[in-house]
């Protein structure tokens, strides 16, 4: 059997900015635990064969068990996702590469959503508080009863299962204006899930980003940045620290907002030790840190291509109030 494992998380005084050259590593943690970049890509055939995806397209692990029991290890379940977009067709491309020691397809008429393997996509192009989330899913044999497709969306989907490997490809058409009006980049709200059912009856709902309820607010999904030019990327890296103690703050909220484009922003959560990092299109941004329910300070930063902008937030420790209380009643 599998064993479960789970994780859960005022003012800013000083900011240090430095800059150095480095290779870009497109991976980071967002407000729900996931940030990715989607590169422009043409000529992808939706046939379930991922060999036409270039190696330059970043791959992201789908490894957070948010429901059910956690896989015992990579031999039990290993999954990765890649994002891209076809600007000419105005569509989003999503590819899953899954390794599963026991692929399960349930042919019973009374099968449930948690009784076979499958994948899920939750997409919110508007990326706003009141925007609409579209859900797409494919389970088991992928017949009409085993698919969930938003009726307002034009999609193509294909998959292959060979031994312990499962490959899924989706093309989801977008509003043509979304990409035609994009200059340097644009952020969409998205999350993906891999479902794994095993012969022992255990079920794992393994997500890219943290939390369930992914049809809810954007903080339950990750951020994917559609990048107009793959050569125009820079990186923002830094730490959130308690000023007096010098220790890192895990779970601090960091927002990186483009100055000239309201649709280009990402929300990060600092990792252990207070570290955070993200890859974004080059340009001027404002970085905001928050520890608690509200933002504290906005820091202007310039991100340059093929460079790293380092930011250090030093957060004053909260101050308590001392009050005299009574002796209390003995228990």
């Amino acid at each position: 059997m599998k064993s479960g494992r789970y994780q859960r998380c005022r003012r800013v005084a000083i900011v240090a900015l430095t800059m150095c050259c480095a290779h870009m590593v497109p991976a980071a943690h967002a407000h729900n635990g996931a940030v990715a970049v989607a590169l422009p890509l043409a000529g992808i055939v939706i046939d379930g064969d991922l060999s036409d995806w270039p190696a330059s397209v970043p791959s992201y692990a789908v490894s957070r068990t948010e429901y059910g029991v956690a896989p015992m290890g990579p031999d039990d379940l290993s999954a990765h996702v890649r994002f891209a977009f076809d600007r000419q067709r105005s569509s989003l491309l999503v590819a899953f590469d899954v390794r599963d020691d026991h692929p399960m397809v349930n042919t019973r008429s009374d099968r449930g959503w948690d009784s076979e393997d499958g994948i899920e996509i939750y997409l919110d192009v508007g990326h706003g508080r009141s925007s609409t989330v579209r859900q797409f899913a494919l389970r088991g044999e992928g017949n009409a009863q085993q698919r969930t497709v938003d009726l307002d969306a034009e999609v193509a989907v294909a998959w292959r299962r060979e031994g312990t490997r499962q490959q899924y490809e989706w093309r989801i058409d977008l509003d043509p204006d979304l990409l035609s009006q994009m200059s340097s980049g644009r952020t969409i709200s998205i999350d993906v899930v891999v479902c794994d059912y095993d012969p022992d009856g255990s079920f794992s709902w393994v997500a890219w980003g943290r939390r369930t309820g992914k049809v809810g607010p954007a903080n339950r999904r990750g951020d994917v940045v559609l990048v107009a030019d793959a050569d125009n990327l820079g990186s923002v890296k830094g730490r959130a620290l308690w000023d007096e103690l010098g220790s890192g703050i895990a779970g601090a909220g960091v927002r990186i907002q483009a100055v000239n484009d309201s649709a280009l922003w990402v929300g990060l959560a600092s990792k252990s030790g207070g570290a955070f990092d993200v890859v974004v299109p080059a340009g001027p941004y404002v970085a905001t840190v928050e520890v608690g329910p509200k933002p504290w300070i906005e820091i202007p930063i310039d991100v340059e291509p093929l460079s790293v902008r380092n930011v250090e937030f030093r957060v004053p420790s909260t101050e308590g109030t001392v009050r005299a209380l009574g002796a209390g009643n003995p228990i």
Side-chain angles (χ1 to χ4, degrees):
M1 293 292 291
K2 305 174 183 177
S3 59
R5 53 189 174 85
Y6 296 87
Q7 299 182 17
R8 287 295 178 237
C9 154
R10 245 161 95 180
R11 297 163 301 181
V12 176
I14 301 173
V15 147
L17 297 177
T18 60
M19 190 171 176
C20 61
C21 293
H23 295 293
M24 300 300 97
V25 180
H29 292 262
H31 47 236
N32 92 330
V35 169
V37 295
L39 303 181
L41 199 58
I44 295 296
V45 178
I46 305 301
D47 58 1
D49 181 358
L50 306 186
S51 62
D52 55 349
W53 283 68
S56 58
V57 178
S59 177
Y60 303 92
V62 182
S63 57
R64 297 181 178 271
T65 306
E66 295 299 307
Y67 176 80
V69 295
M72 297 176 64
D75 291 337
D76 185 2
L77 180 70
S78 176
H80 291 79
V81 65
R82 285 183 274 180
F83 304 99
F85 65 96
D86 187 330
R87 193 160 193 168
Q88 183 174 2
R89 187 185 173 92
S90 190
S91 59
L92 177 69
L93 306 172
V94 186
F96 295 81
D97 196 350
V98 181
R99 308 281 178 158
D100 181 6
D101 62 345
H102 291 104
M104 295 292 292
V105 174
N106 191 341
T107 58
R108 293 179 49 163
S109 59
D110 61 347
R111 59 182 172 262
W113 69 273
D114 57 354
S115 65
E116 58 188 338
D117 293 348
I119 55 98
E120 302 174 1
I121 300 172
Y122 298 84
L123 174 63
D124 169 17
V125 174
H127 202 209
R129 295 193 177 187
S130 59
S131 51
T132 301
V133 179
R134 292 177 169 181
Q135 181 179 0
F136 306 87
L138 186 149
R139 309 185 195 285
E141 295 176 324
N143 59 35
Q145 291 74 37
Q146 294 166 299
R147 294 195 203 185
T148 301
V149 176
D150 186 280
L151 297 179
D152 295 328
E154 293 292 331
V155 304
V157 59
W159 63 98
R160 290 189 181 188
R161 296 189 177 99
E162 298 172 338
T164 60
R165 187 182 187 190
Q166 303 177 43
Q167 299 176 83
Y168 303 86
E169 279 185 295
W170 286 80
R171 184 184 68 229
I172 303 172
D173 288 353
L174 306 174
D175 184 339
D177 292 339
L178 180 78
L179 299 181
S180 64
Q181 297 174 2
M182 185 177 73
S183 53
S184 60
R186 180 191 174 96
T187 309
I188 60 176
S189 173
I190 189 171
D191 219 310
V192 301
V193 173
V194 173
C195 299
D196 179 29
Y197 184 81
D198 277 350
D200 62 4
S202 61
F203 177 77
S204 302
W205 195 81
V206 183
W208 174 47
R210 294 180 299 167
R211 302 189 179 99
T212 59
K214 295 186 181 295
V215 295
N219 64 5
R220 295 184 174 273
R221 296 178 298 278
D223 291 341
V224 172
V225 182
L226 309 182
V227 178
D229 183 357
D231 296 324
N232 192 41
L233 289 173
S235 181
V236 180
K237 301 182 71 173
R239 295 183 69 196
L241 306 171
W242 291 118
D243 191 19
E244 292 86 350
L245 302 176
S247 56
I249 306 172
V254 178
R255 180 181 172 114
I256 310 295
Q257 170 71 64
V259 172
N260 300 322
D261 189 348
S262 61
L264 177 55
W265 64 274
V266 294
L268 313 175
S270 61
K271 297 174 282 188
S272 175
F276 58 87
D277 63 272
V278 66
V279 172
V280 292
Y285 290 82
V286 171
T288 304
V289 69
E290 60 181 35
V291 178
K294 61 188 246 185
W296 287 102
I297 196 169
E298 294 182 342
I299 305 152
I301 55 175
D302 288 318
V303 178
E304 297 188 7
L306 302 178
S307 297
V308 177
R309 176 66 75 177
N310 289 323
V311 183
E312 185 175 279
F313 295 106
R314 289 193 169 268
V315 182
S317 302
T318 56
E319 298 179 0
T321 300
V322 178
R323 293 184 180 180
L325 301 176
N329 297 320
I331 298 176

